[in-house]
Amino acid sequence: MIDSSFSGVRLIEVEKTYGEIDSERVVALNRVSLSFREGERISIEGKSGSGKSTLLNLLGGLDRPTSGRIEVGDRAIDRLKPDELARYRLEKVGMIFQSYNLIPSRTAIQNVELPLIVAGVCKNDRRERAVKALEKVGLEKRLNHRPAQLSGGESQRVAIARALVNDPRVVLADEPTGNLDSATARAVVEMLVEQVAASRACLIVVTHDRDLARRCAERLIRIEDGSIIEDYFI
Amino acid sequence: MRRVDLVEFAIESMRKHPSRSILSVSGVVAGTFALSLSIAIGLGIERAVVERFRRDDTLRKIQVYDNDAFKDEDFPPDVLKVEGKMSEAKRKRILKGIRRDYSSESMIRRHIALTPEMLERIARIPRVRSIYPHTSNRFRASLGGIEFDVDAASVAPGDREIKERLVAGKAFDTLADPGVVVHEYLLYRWGFRGDDEVKKAIGAKIILHSKTKRDENHFVISFLDDLKRKGKPLGALEEATLYSLIARSPSLFEELKLTTAERSLLKMLIEHFTPRVARTLEKDRVVELTIKGVVMEGDENQRSSWGSNFQASYADILLSVGKSAELFLQKDGARSEGFGSAVAIVDREEDVEAVAKEIEKLGLFKFSLAKVIEELRTTILLIAIGIGLIALGMLFVACIGIANTMIMSVLQRTREIGILKAVGASDRDVRRLFLFEGGTIGFIGAAIGLSLSLLAEAPGNAIIRMVTPRNSDLPLDATYFTYPVWMLIGVPALVTTIALVAAYIPAVRASRMDPVQSLRYE
Ligand SMILES: Nc1ncnc2c1ncn2[C@@H]1O[C@H](COP(=O)(O)OP(=O)(O)OP(=O)(O)O)[C@@H](O)[C@H]1O
Ligand SMILES: [Mg+2]
């Protein structure tokens, strides 16, 4: 699944506006141009409503830009047909959310298996891979627990395992520690960085926490009102 | 996504909301149950009816009757004149009356008779396997010197009703069986009273006289009875004198001083009022037959089976169709008058219509059960279709239930849909997920409904047997349910398809959900 031709991510003049009528129009992203190298770790910060999640959703193929171009590897994902975009999400992207987004009725391992089920991996293989992914985040003893039986940190580790089980090229984390206390947050982020580093994927983390940002990223981007106002290497 | 996983998702989703799932499955169960039961009963009863008639040759039999319609050429032209202004329909009705009226006075014969020659012509029609006439005769039968007038009727070999009535001996094996089967009451009158005596009667010989007591005495007997009623009975000597007077009357007329015209008129007059006196002059033919079997009184409520001689149910003696016809034809004029009815048996049921048409072309009346059965079958099937339509209506309602369940499910699982899309599920995957859920509800419901309808066979048969009258012709041992393979496959397929259709719109709706919005949904 590793794309040998993968050479980072490029955003060219990406604009995202919401609302059809002029009076309700919100410019969430304003002609953003950025590029990330393969294996680069970026932290994004900005005030609430500045467009961080919008940027991540575009990169994750959950949404499309109003205009502009997004290239991931050799693919222009803004041009992809819906099916191809789904395939892109499946094969290249791993997403982690503040609210974990685990399916409550499924156990930890079943949640981690989700991308593999969608990919059509057979039962034995996907079980093996899911167990491995959970072992890597230290949850080998929690395989059959449901989200309600897991702590916040454990839940987010399950989510990380799920995001990484398909060996993605881009890992997107939208305030992954927002619901966690600082100690747990640090542990989770360290775990995330460790995992991503091993696979040489591109990691983009949205966080308000400067300290955390320094721990996980080598590059820091600040957004305000949909525009990049700061972009530097730590 | 692989199908197994889609099914697993569907079952998991149903397990998550057990009461909702049970309700929507129940609707499908009820609809499927009603649908498969209506098909099973419709086909089952239809088959039972057809089989009941197929047990014997019933469906391959054509009843043939002589045609007693008149031909206009047989009437003097001035007779068939209708006067006055009237509609054509009324003219026809009046003409019918005139023909009937005139023919009874002037002895115009029925036009097309079932003569032995006619039977031969029918026998030559392709695909007619056999034809035999049904005849009834009156004889004077004697056994051990005791004489009774008896009614005789013909019976075909294999006649079910006769076999059922048999108390001793055997029924006829062949069309021209030379034996005779007698009624137990006749045997009783002959003195064979106890059950053992009845058995002893088998093999005994009876003598049949073509001339009955009645033929000889009819006019005289009614005259004697009349006198008795009036209180002036004739003495034995007077009675003997009366008989000799009648016997001598033709020659007596010769001795009277009458003109030839008067004499012949007087003769005609006497003959007219005592037609049977003329028979007195006929020769008495005598035949000896061996008793082969004994039958009990027929059940009046039991319809005689199709193609059999209805007179057989009360006749004193029964003869094979061949023997009966042989004796019938010995009567004066019988050859030209022909038989009253005959039964033609064709090779296969499908040939009945074509052969019946040929028989009709010969100018005869015919009647076959094939058409009646066909109509009966159609009726049964129509009723089954009617019930089936109601069942389909139930299924439709059940599917509204499924659609409702699915819409709820889509709504409740909005976030899950978002998650699935975020991890890479395509619109198609999501659509299939919900289609499989609807299809699974449909399939499980169909499987349970169909199984229930299979289980309903035994109690259903018991109920049908309870409400079916005892003396019904329908077989009581058979099943009234038929489950053809096409139904066992087709009904679940149809129900699942309907469920898929019901799930389609919710499924499409789910697949079109915006993942970003869905993930935000609480
Ligand atoms: N579906 C939408 N329709 C209309 N406006 C939207 C929609 N989604 C986002 N927006 C607007 O776009 C802007 C950017 O939103 P976004 O969610 O990217 O902010 P954010 O930086 O992630 O904020 P937060 O830190 O609070 O999560 C906001 O002003 C928001 O109101
Ligand atoms: Mg946000």
Side-chain angles (χ1 to χ4, degrees), chain B residues 24 294 521:
Chain B
S24 47
V294 182
Y521 185 88

mmCIF file of all heavy atoms in Angstrom, chain B residues 24 294 521:
data_model
loop_
_atom_site.group_PDB
_atom_site.id
_atom_site.type_symbol
_atom_site.label_atom_id
_atom_site.label_comp_id
_atom_site.label_asym_id
_atom_site.label_seq_id
_atom_site.Cartn_x
_atom_site.Cartn_y
_atom_site.Cartn_z
ATOM 1 N N SER B 24 -40.528 -5.173 12.736
ATOM 2 C CA SER B 24 -40.538 -5.087 11.277
ATOM 3 C C SER B 24 -40.423 -6.473 10.646
ATOM 4 O O SER B 24 -41.012 -6.723 9.593
ATOM 5 C CB SER B 24 -39.466 -4.135 10.759
ATOM 6 O OG SER B 24 -38.249 -4.383 11.383
ATOM 7 N N VAL B 294 -73.220 -59.341 -4.999
ATOM 8 C CA VAL B 294 -74.402 -58.790 -4.345
ATOM 9 C C VAL B 294 -74.052 -57.383 -3.879
ATOM 10 O O VAL B 294 -72.974 -57.159 -3.319
ATOM 11 C CB VAL B 294 -74.815 -59.657 -3.130
ATOM 12 C CG1 VAL B 294 -76.074 -59.090 -2.478
ATOM 13 C CG2 VAL B 294 -75.037 -61.097 -3.572
ATOM 14 N N TYR B 521 -22.790 15.272 13.823
ATOM 15 C CA TYR B 521 -24.155 14.977 14.307
ATOM 16 C C TYR B 521 -24.107 14.338 15.686
ATOM 17 O O TYR B 521 -23.313 13.439 15.942
ATOM 18 C CB TYR B 521 -24.826 14.033 13.302
ATOM 19 C CG TYR B 521 -26.273 13.722 13.569
ATOM 20 C CD1 TYR B 521 -27.279 14.533 13.065
ATOM 21 C CD2 TYR B 521 -26.611 12.598 14.324
ATOM 22 C CE1 TYR B 521 -28.608 14.232 13.304
ATOM 23 C CE2 TYR B 521 -27.934 12.302 14.566
ATOM 24 C CZ TYR B 521 -28.928 13.115 14.057
ATOM 25 O OH TYR B 521 -30.231 12.826 14.284
#
